[in-house]
Amino acid sequence: VLPACLLLALLLLAPALAEQHERGLVINLEIGELCLQSVQCKSGCCHRANGLSLARCAPKAAEFQECSPKSIYGVYYKCPCERGLTCDADKTIVGSITNSNFGLCKDPQD
């Protein structure tokens, strides 16, 4: 009986989960929407201005803009660079801990 109930619950939840995905309630969030992790944002950057602010989806950093190296934490004070650019920043563990690992986006071909 339990597996049948579980199957029924999954069948009923599947359309609701698909609807959330399309509307962007949890993932595929637009720029400016509140987020908890960068994977939720279409842009790939969940940004907060300071430690007390709410995080919102933001565009990735363009060439010559301030950036942070990609992080496992998922929330950034400076967004990572757009595709094809590299963040020339302090990539040491000390920079990560002290939150001073910001740099500038540069084209690696230059």
Side-chain angles (χ1 to χ4, degrees), residues 48-81:
R48 69 176 42 197
N50 58 54
L52 300 176
S53 65
L54 295 173
R56 295 184 179 274
C57 293
K60 286 197 172 178
E63 191 170 13
F64 305 117
Q65 286 185 333
E66 281 190 303
C67 59
S68 291
K70 291 209 179 224
S71 153
I72 60 169
Y73 302 117
V75 178
Y76 297 95
Y77 289 102
K78 306 287 181 189
C79 286
C81 300

Side-chain angles (χ1 to χ4, degrees), residues 9 18 32 68 92 104:
S68 291
T92 65
L104 289 177

Side-chain angles (χ1 to χ4, degrees), residues 38-106:
S38 289
V39 296
Q40 295 178 279
C41 303
K42 282 184 181 179
S43 67
C45 179
C46 185
H47 170 267
R48 69 176 42 197
N50 58 54
L52 300 176
S53 65
L54 295 173
R56 295 184 179 274
C57 293
K60 286 197 172 178
E63 191 170 13
F64 305 117
Q65 286 185 333
E66 281 190 303
C67 59
S68 291
K70 291 209 179 224
S71 153
I72 60 169
Y73 302 117
V75 178
Y76 297 95
Y77 289 102
K78 306 287 181 189
C79 286
C81 300
E82 295 174 339
R83 185 177 302 245
L85 301 176
T86 58
C87 187
D88 186 22
D90 175 14
K91 294 185 173 107
T92 65
I93 191 73
V94 174
S96 297
I97 293 170
T98 61
N99 199 25
S100 62
N101 59 341
F102 305 129
L104 289 177
C105 291
K106 295 184 179 179

